[in-house]
Amino acid sequence: MSTTDKELRVGMVGYAFMGAAHSQAWRTVNRVFDLPARARMALICGRDTTKVADAADRLGWDAYTTDWRDLINRDDIDVIDVCTPGDSHAEIALAALAAGKHVLCEKPLANTVAEARAMTAAAELARASGVRSMCGFNYRRVPAVTMMRQLVADGRLGVIRHVRATYLQDWIVDPQFPLVWRLQKDRAGSGALGDIGAHIIDLTQFVTGQKISGVSAVTETFVKERPLPAESSGLAATVDGHTAPTGPVTVDDAAVFVARLDGGALATYEASRFATGRKNALRVEINGSLGSVIFDLERLNELEFYDATRPSVEQGFSRILVTEGEHPYMSAWWPPGHIIGYEHSFTHEMRDFIEAVATGVDPTPSFADALQVQLVLDAVTRSAELGSSWTEVEPALIAAAV
């Protein structure tokens, strides 16, 4: 438990899946890590008064509001945590930065490259006044992933030659699954590509220290019409003999692309929400001249490591259980062998964010890092629209903030 008297008063926008995950992390972080500031869960925001009031009580927030501008304008709020759908990220983050609030924004940073560029420029301008910003790619904070990066940085894999990354889910396989906001381009920006593909793009760039420079891609929408939620109206379809309103799916269901990294490695990526039987299957494999390393989210406390420098009679993939106190983040948790879970990645995220803000250091991934991911998403989309033609990733030039 931190003994500091310094307090960071947090206001969070959104209370659903990511809002709950972030709330758990804000509640826990100072009870686990000794930090130079304490997070206070001051105010949560949502549009529905009844639901946000319930969320405030259930998730541990001091108070609630139904207008995010209330968070921005209050003098007793230091941090704005954006956990909304992507169509509101830019508006909220830009207003928060202009008001001098530190900002933590969920991934992907925005729905468009233009929005991401504007947010990055605003973050750079605010940085000069000591205002910090970070994008929430939580998988960077899984201890095994951080150790994976260390193995690469220490040269244990030698020259990186291949990267393979997949993120597979199946939650919309049923064609009668309703047309939720994640299936609407104006709300989500893209489908599997931005939702889960963004994670493996950021993770592989983080681990290898290399950026994706060009791609050749294909995307597909397998189910093009879906039933609307009960409160909506639209076109009609027959479901179990009854007429039900439907609407068009305007995002990809799956995206597959090959890529080249700027350090010379070749890479393959697959993101799908139609992989029947796969619930949250993220897997990354890195092959180098001296070895290979594999991370599988469904075994998130482990790495598989192949050391080609060992005698041939001793070579083979070995299992590393990443639970020792010397492993990243693990000294704050349990005795060796006692595993941690998905929610801990968010606690580590808040730990790093608080540490950076309190000590005046720029946290990572920055908005500029997140912009680079957005540029890759854009290149993938353009390549798919052009029949999988090779498409260079645009440079992350940051225009002057308005």
Side-chain angles (χ1 to χ4, degrees):
M1 178 72 176
S2 175
T3 58
T4 183
D5 291 328
K6 187 173 182 179
E7 187 173 67
L8 286 175
R9 299 159 297 186
V10 181
M12 188 175 75
V13 191
Y15 53 80
F17 174 26
M18 279 299 103
H22 282 222
S23 295
Q24 192 275 343
W26 288 121
R27 284 197 312 270
T28 305
V29 63
N30 287 109
R31 291 173 170 82
V32 178
F33 292 97
D34 185 14
L35 297 170
R38 290 178 292 108
R40 176 182 169 189
M41 298 169 65
L43 196 63
I44 187 173
C45 177
R47 290 174 297 180
D48 186 297
T49 302
T50 301
K51 291 181 179 178
V52 74
D54 173 71
D57 179 65
R58 176 170 43 86
L59 299 176
W61 293 85
D62 292 346
Y64 64 89
T65 180
T66 57
D67 185 354
W68 61 262
R69 295 168 184 82
D70 184 35
L71 298 180
I72 306 299
N73 295 326
R74 287 177 57 150
D75 293 333
D76 60 347
I77 296 295
D78 305 302
V79 174
I80 302 297
D81 185 359
V82 184
C83 294
T84 59
D87 61 332
S88 60
H89 283 189
E91 184 180 15
I92 297 171
L94 289 172
L97 290 168
K101 312 294 186 184
H102 307 292
V103 177
L104 172 61
C105 184
E106 256 304 319
K107 49 57 60 185
L109 186 63
N111 275 5
T112 68
V113 167
E115 289 177 339
R117 287 191 187 280
M119 294 167 73
T120 302
E124 288 296 307
L125 184 65
R127 176 175 173 267
S129 301
V131 176
R132 309 297 170 182
S133 53
M134 188 175 88
C135 190
F137 284 101
N138 66 295
Y139 291 132
R140 287 188 176 209
R141 268 72 187 199
V142 174
V145 169
T146 305
M147 182 180 175
M148 194 180 192
R149 173 184 168 89
Q150 290 178 357
L151 289 170
V152 174
D154 291 344
R156 299 292 300 278
L157 270 64
V159 177
I160 303 304
R161 291 170 173 162
H162 290 290
V163 173
R164 299 180 189 85
T166 60
Y167 201 161
L168 308 176
Q169 298 177 342
D170 73 351
W171 58 277
I172 55 172
V173 166
D174 183 354
Q176 300 309 316
F177 188 90
L179 188 68
V180 296
W181 70 266
R182 290 184 186 273
L183 305 179
Q184 302 171 39
K185 185 177 178 63
D186 60 340
R187 299 290 309 282
S190 64
L193 177 61
D195 184 18
I196 55 181
H199 271 302
I200 52 177
I201 290 168
D202 178 73
L203 192 154
T204 53
Q205 294 186 141
F206 170 69
V207 167
T208 64
Q210 299 184 27
K211 294 180 180 179
I212 296 172
S213 59
V215 302
S216 174
V218 61
T219 61
E220 183 59 65
T221 302
F222 297 111
V223 176
K224 296 177 172 56
E225 293 276 337
R226 288 186 177 275
L228 296 177
E231 65 272 14
S232 302
S233 61
L235 303 175
T238 301
V239 180
D240 295 331
H242 301 284
T243 298
T246 67
V249 176
T250 51
V251 300
D252 58 281
D253 287 331
V256 178
F257 62 99
V258 295
R260 184 176 292 278
L261 278 63
D262 60 8
L266 300 180
T268 61
Y269 294 84
E270 180 183 3
S272 177
R273 300 192 292 210
F274 266 73
T276 304
R278 299 295 186 183
K279 304 307 176 185
N280 199 40
L282 185 161
R283 181 180 171 90
V284 171
E285 178 172 340
I286 313 292
N287 304 135
S289 59
L290 300 179
S292 296
V293 64
I294 302 169
F295 170 73
D296 185 336
L297 182 62
E298 294 180 346
R299 296 163 55 193
L300 104 175
N301 291 273
E302 303 176 21
L303 287 177
E304 292 182 74
F305 178 51
Y306 186 97
D307 185 354
T309 67
R310 296 184 63 82
S312 59
V313 294
E314 298 176 6
Q315 289 179 9
F317 277 96
S318 60
R319 171 179 174 265
I320 301 174
L321 187 62
V322 188
T323 60
E324 297 291 329
E326 294 82 7
H327 286 137
Y329 302 106
M330 291 305 298
S331 62
W333 296 106
W334 320 119
H338 292 70
I339 61 176
I340 61 171
Y342 170 76
E343 73 276 12
H344 294 78
S345 65
F346 293 96
T347 305
H348 300 158
E349 181 178 301
M350 303 320 174
R351 179 249 178 230
D352 290 347
F353 185 73
I354 293 171
E355 180 85 38
V357 169
T359 59
V361 174
D362 292 322
T364 58
S366 65
F367 278 18
D369 295 327
L371 167 61
Q372 204 281 328
V373 173
Q374 200 83 42
L375 290 165
V376 176
L377 297 177
D378 177 68
V380 170
T381 300
R382 289 187 287 118
S383 174
E385 290 173 346
L386 296 171
S388 305
S389 64
W390 185 258
T391 303
E392 300 291 332
V393 176
E394 292 182 1
L397 301 176
I398 302 171
V402 177

